[in-house]
């Protein structure tokens, strides 16, 4: 996901399902965890080369297991960290990836809260931050999530607007179906918006 705050261009989780090869003029690349659909080791070095002023931030797992082998400069971030890039404040929250199955290890996962709550990208987790969130990136489909859990997460964060992320595995009908479940009770749910791939949207 590419976020332009007006002063800063931030790219979240450039993974193997993402179209980011032509992205330029980034100020920061922010990675939540080490899975290939969030950090594509085959294309990450080219992305950094094409965006020479962009600072690369990543969770400990990605920094140690993915980026270290690419010889890229990276700042490792952990929950509780905070920094500023291009006039935009970034706070780190969360800590762990949601559990997929007891037989699979749980890697580190960090969430990024932008400008003290203007936007929140949770990565592969349903961590509820302390900050009041205006726009939430909500993961629509994954091996680790149920629709009911998404609804609870949406109500707990209580943003003004939630935009679908992590939805590549869904058909158009599937995306509409998840949206319908999340918005069935208008009295308890925020607005949920489906984004169109590679098309800008004003949030």
């Amino acid at each position: 996901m590419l976020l332009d705050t007006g002063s800063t261009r931030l790219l979240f989780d450039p993974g193997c399902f993402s179209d980011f090869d032509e992205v330029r003029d980034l100020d920061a690349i922010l990675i939540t965890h080490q899975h290939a659909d969030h950090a594509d080791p085959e294309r990450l070095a080219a992305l950094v080369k094409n965006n020479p002023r962009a600072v690369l931030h990543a969770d400990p797992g990605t920094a140690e297991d993915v980026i270290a082998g690419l010889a890229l400069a990276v700042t490792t971030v952990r929950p509780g960290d905070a920094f500023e890039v291009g006039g935009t404040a970034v706070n780190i929250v969360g800590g762990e990836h949601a559990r997929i199955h007891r037989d699979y290890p749980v890697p580190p996962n960090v969430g990024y809260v932008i400008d003290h709550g203007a936007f929140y990208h949770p990565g592969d987790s349903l961590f509820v931050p302390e900050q009041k969130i205006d726009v939430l990136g909500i993961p629509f489909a994954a091996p680790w999530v149920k629709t009911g859990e998404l609804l609870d997460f949406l109500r707990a964060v209580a943003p003004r607007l939630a935009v679908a992320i992590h939805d590549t595995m869904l058909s158009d009908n599937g995306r509409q179906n998840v949206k319908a479940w999340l918005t069935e009770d208008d009295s308890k749910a925020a607005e949920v918006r489906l984004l169109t791939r590679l098309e800008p949207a004003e949030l």
Side-chain angles (χ1 to χ4, degrees):
M1 181 174 192
L2 176 62
L3 178 68
D4 190 328
T5 69
S7 65
T8 312
R9 284 168 58 84
L10 308 170
L11 183 67
F12 298 89
D13 285 352
C16 59
F17 298 150
S18 303
D19 299 304
F20 59 82
D21 300 286
E22 303 303 318
V23 173
R24 300 292 186 274
D25 301 319
L26 293 175
D27 296 291
I29 301 163
L30 309 176
I31 299 176
T32 63
H33 67 284
Q34 66 196 76
H35 290 157
D37 59 328
H38 294 257
D40 184 352
E42 302 298 323
R43 298 153 67 203
L44 188 57
L47 176 67
V48 171
K49 181 179 179 181
N50 290 333
N51 292 273
R53 78 164 184 259
V55 290
L56 178 60
H57 292 80
D59 65 284
T62 303
E64 296 169 9
D65 299 337
V66 178
I67 297 175
L70 300 176
L72 299 174
V74 60
T75 298
T76 302
V77 291
R78 296 175 173 82
D81 289 349
F83 60 92
E84 187 173 295
V85 57
T88 294
V90 182
N91 288 85
I92 310 303
V93 299
E96 286 190 344
H97 191 288
R99 183 170 296 279
I100 298 173
H101 187 270
R102 62 180 177 274
D103 290 344
Y104 291 88
V106 177
N109 179 100
V110 297
Y112 293 93
V113 176
I114 306 303
D115 275 342
H116 309 293
F119 178 75
Y120 173 40
H121 193 304
D124 278 10
S125 79
L126 300 178
F127 181 84
V128 178
E130 295 180 358
Q131 296 91 336
K132 173 63 179 174
I133 302 301
D134 184 48
V135 180
L136 168 67
I138 185 167
F140 256 38
W144 50 269
V145 71
K146 296 189 297 185
T147 304
E149 294 172 334
L150 290 182
L151 183 54
D152 287 340
F153 177 56
L154 181 62
R155 291 177 178 176
V157 177
R160 171 184 61 85
L161 171 67
V163 293
I165 61 173
H166 211 289
D167 58 355
T168 300
M169 294 184 289
L170 293 178
S171 66
D172 288 340
N173 286 338
R175 296 170 80 225
Q176 291 290 348
N177 181 260
V178 174
K179 178 183 176 181
W181 278 108
L182 296 183
T183 57
E184 184 172 3
D185 186 347
D186 292 336
S187 67
K188 295 182 179 179
E191 177 190 353
V192 176
R193 190 180 304 174
L194 303 179
L195 302 179
T196 301
R197 198 176 184 96
L198 298 181
E199 289 189 11
E202 185 78 27
L203 304 179

